[in-house]
Amino acid sequence: MAFASCTYFDPRATIDPQKDLGSDAYLLPPLEQPVDVTDEVCPSRLGCEKAAQSERVRIMKFSTYPKAQLETYKLARSGFRSDRLVIEFLDPAITDEEWRFVTSGVDGTWTASPD
């Protein structure tokens, strides 16, 4: 009798908010990049591993789904969770269209499998 081991690999767990998401996710012009704000943002947010932002959008990666969900609840309308990634909309003037553009772009971002 043979036993097979199956390990689930979460490709989104390896996403770096600063390096793996395009400037459009931060509502920036194409050649501008978001700023790494991990040292300023993550110490006060349980489970935050990495954070990057523009003047209008901050994206944080959390260690687990529940910790990302908890942060999203705290942010209320200014927050959106996509797996372990939490988007925080910093600019209250962001339109519904921009909100949908950012959230759908982040939701559609995946990384390659290691195998």
Side-chain angles (χ1 to χ4, degrees), residues 44-58:
S44 64
R45 299 172 190 233
L46 179 65
C48 180
E49 296 180 334
K50 185 86 174 162
Q53 75 180 45
S54 67
E55 287 185 21
R56 304 182 76 200
V57 176
R58 175 182 297 142

Side-chain angles (χ1 to χ4, degrees), residues 10-108:
D10 178 3
R12 301 197 76 208
T14 63
I15 290 177
D16 181 318
Q18 184 183 18
K19 297 176 184 171
D20 297 330
L21 298 172
S23 59
D24 54 337
Y26 293 89
L27 299 175
L28 288 167
L31 297 179
E32 286 189 40
Q33 295 300 315
V35 177
D36 184 336
V37 291
T38 302
D39 292 340
E40 297 86 24
V41 172
C42 286
S44 64
R45 299 172 190 233
L46 179 65
C48 180
E49 296 180 334
K50 185 86 174 162
Q53 75 180 45
S54 67
E55 287 185 21
R56 304 182 76 200
V57 176
R58 175 182 297 142
I59 302 176
M60 300 164 282
K61 182 177 98 173
F62 285 80
S63 57
T64 67
Y65 302 110
K67 290 176 182 172
Q69 187 68 48
L70 178 63
E71 184 65 25
T72 306
Y73 286 140
K74 290 178 186 177
L75 295 173
R77 171 69 172 116
S78 67
F80 177 85
R81 184 182 64 85
S82 177
D83 296 323
R84 296 176 190 213
L85 300 175
V86 174
I87 303 165
E88 181 178 3
F89 293 95
L90 305 171
D91 181 355
I94 286 176
T95 66
D96 288 344
E97 183 179 345
E98 289 170 322
W99 192 91
R100 282 189 298 275
F101 178 81
V102 171
T103 58
S104 65
V106 172
D107 260 351

